[in-house]
Amino acid sequence: MHPRCASEPPATGTAHRRSALNRSRLMWATAALGGVMVLPLVASDRWVTVGLYAGIYAFVAIGLAALVGTAGQVSVGQAGFFAVGGYTAAILVTRYGWGQAISAVAAVVVTAAIAAIVGLPLLRLRGHYLTLATLAFAVIVAVLANEWSVTGGNSGIYGVPRPVIGRHGLFLPSDYYWLVWPLVFLAALVVDNMLRGRAGRALRAARDAPVAAATAGVRAERLSWRLFVVAAGLGGVSGVLYVYWVGIVTPESAGVMLSVQFLLMAVLGGASVWGAVAGAVFVQLLDQTLVTLVPLALPEASGEYQLIGLGLVLAATMRWAPQGITGLLRRRPRPRPSTVGVAPPDAAGLVGSGADHVETGGPAGPAGPALRVHEVTKRFGGVTAVDRMSLEVYPGEVVGLIGPNGAGKTTLFNAVTGVVAPDHGTVTIAGRRMPGGRPHTLPAAGGGRTFQNLELFTSMGALENVMVGCHRLGRAGFAAAGMYLPGRREEAMLAARAGRALADIGFADDPDRPVADLAFGGQRLVEIARALAAGPRLLLLDEPMAGLSMTERRSLAALLRRLRAQRVAILLVEHDVQAVMSLCDRVVVMDRGRLLAAGTPAEVAADPEVVRAYLGDVAATGPVR
């Protein structure tokens, strides 16, 4: 028997581990800050200044690492936001006489507002198109700064005074250093909390498997836009701190040189928050090394050679160390795939465990079918994948959808769940008409689904995968997660619910183990648990028994019978005909996108057209019991 008690959801031990990890992270961050703060006491002004610039640039690197590592967005335009923040603060202080504190706040707000406007069209792009578009933004900022009289043209704005706290002016590198670095660690803690919360988890899910995340209720485009604004705001903070130290801002602040440095900081840090801080320090040390060595090797060299050196380091990092410094430090042998997929029936969630109730909490809807598909047609070019298909599934009913390969079953599933928009016909779930092409509306209507080919979030463990399935049940966003305490209770609730879903399907492995390291059967069970986590009233399963052992199939069959007893409507696509005949109340047969037959399992099995097209000898083997 597995050591975990059958009645104890997998989230219980995980909650203790996460709490310990949070305390450990805070302890290490405090220790690291203490070590960093000692530098001015033991180093010369030159190295304190290097550390100071590393701290100033770390804000941009933290935001960029969040974009790249969590949302998968590679931006080369952060220097543009850096310049916007610096110019705004300089203009308000020197030309309008605003105080430095209020000017700093206003500069960050202006930067974030510009990012909110710019991000709407930019984030519709993907891949290298987004990268080029963000670079174009930085170029536009540099051109405007160079040509606009308000920004001082080519000369920029100078004479910005250094900050004064009380009666103490921050004139020495050590003074400013001690102001900047505590703010860096505070920003890193807040952003790290953001990315570990509900919104950050949803973005990581959308990066790993966008369709699966969308059908779990994740609206990735909105979350990406919000994170883009946060990253730009951090760029504005960096620009303000830079201008308050050097006293001048010029168009070079939005230049390619700085953009490459920012990207290198994030990449060297492995696109992680704390790695970005280390990357900022490393790049500043590298920059100082190049400034010293390049003139010795090439006496006539200028800044372009320094840029080449940074570019070569960036290319080498992406080629040989794509996970950056932190990835090299964390590298360890990859564990063998687990052979544990499901606990024995006497040890976990499905038979004799006390877990007799699966949570179902979707909207009950009006009386009538839980799912109604009416005359749905879907074409791809000249090919009609689904042709005027109609079917209904009622609460407490299991309906099997079968047919030969290429019959259009998965396309019909995609049309029902909003992954594709039907060309004709309607889909209604619990009396609610589903909009085509909007899969994030599925959970709100009370639906959950699995996929023919596994769609898992491979950067996460089993528990986090299932927590994404609970996404619609939460409300906490980046702000609540960043402050930690407001989102902590909700996180505990989602983790507990996900743990119960894993227990219900009989998952007996470590819930924090990466799903990529699980056996195929265990991965399939995680996907089913994710579909169940939000308590759907309609469950759509696309070949759920594929790749499962006989023990796992029997456990899944027992679970489906329990769900049927709880009035959950189930639409099941499955090639295991014996399982379909033993589990389903009705069977619908598709062939070449059309309805071939529908009826009870006995009626369908006796239909000559169905036998000729698909079934063959159904009685060749026994049913799944």
Side-chain angles (χ1 to χ4, degrees), residues 367-559:
L371 170 66
R372 185 171 185 266
V373 178
H374 179 68
E375 297 286 322
V376 165
T377 298
K378 181 60 186 177
R379 301 181 183 89
F380 296 98
V383 177
T384 301
V386 178
D387 189 5
R388 303 183 73 83
M389 270 294 299
S390 296
L391 62 85
E392 292 180 345
V393 184
Y394 286 82
E397 183 182 38
V398 180
V399 174
L401 181 61
I402 64 174
N405 289 329
K409 304 183 296 297
T410 296
T411 301
L412 180 63
F413 251 47
N414 288 337
V416 168
T417 57
V419 175
V420 299
D423 297 314
H424 177 75
T426 60
V427 175
T428 304
I429 296 178
R432 173 177 175 173
R433 182 166 177 173
M434 301 301 293
R438 301 182 68 187
H440 64 271
T441 61
L442 177 66
R449 75 163 290 182
T450 65
F451 295 82
Q452 179 182 13
N453 298 315
L454 285 174
E455 291 280 348
L456 293 172
F457 313 128
T458 54
S459 65
M460 306 180 193
L463 186 71
E464 277 199 299
N465 264 264
V466 181
M467 287 176 72
V468 175
C470 305
H471 181 77
R472 79 172 186 88
L473 302 180
R475 292 292 180 268
F478 285 121
M483 297 298 102
Y484 186 60
L485 289 177
R488 187 176 181 181
R489 179 175 298 179
E490 183 179 279
E491 277 291 287
M493 181 273 290
L494 296 179
R497 190 177 183 105
R500 288 193 294 271
L502 286 170
D504 282 333
I505 56 121
F507 185 82
D509 213 320
D510 181 359
D512 284 332
R513 186 172 189 172
V515 291
D517 295 337
L518 297 176
F520 183 84
Q523 293 176 340
R524 179 69 75 181
L525 292 175
V526 169
E527 189 180 49
I528 295 171
R530 187 180 68 204
L532 287 169
R537 303 302 311 181
L538 170 67
L539 188 60
L540 301 109
L541 303 176
D542 198 348
E543 299 192 30
M545 294 191 177
L548 298 185
S549 68
M550 185 55 66
T551 299
E552 292 165 343
R553 289 182 180 215
R554 289 172 179 164
S555 296
L556 178 58
L559 173 64

Side-chain angles (χ1 to χ4, degrees), residues 202-258:
L203 271 180
R204 285 183 280 127
R207 179 198 62 200
D208 292 349
V211 175
T215 57
V218 173
R219 301 197 67 175
E221 63 281 357
R222 286 189 176 184
L223 295 174
S224 296
W225 175 76
R226 291 170 186 171
L227 188 58
F228 186 79
V229 172
V230 170
L234 288 170
V237 171
S238 188
V240 170
L241 292 173
Y242 175 84
V243 168
Y244 283 177
W245 173 247
V246 301
I248 184 172
V249 58
T250 64
E252 283 72 22
S253 298
V256 175
M257 181 75 166
L258 208 51

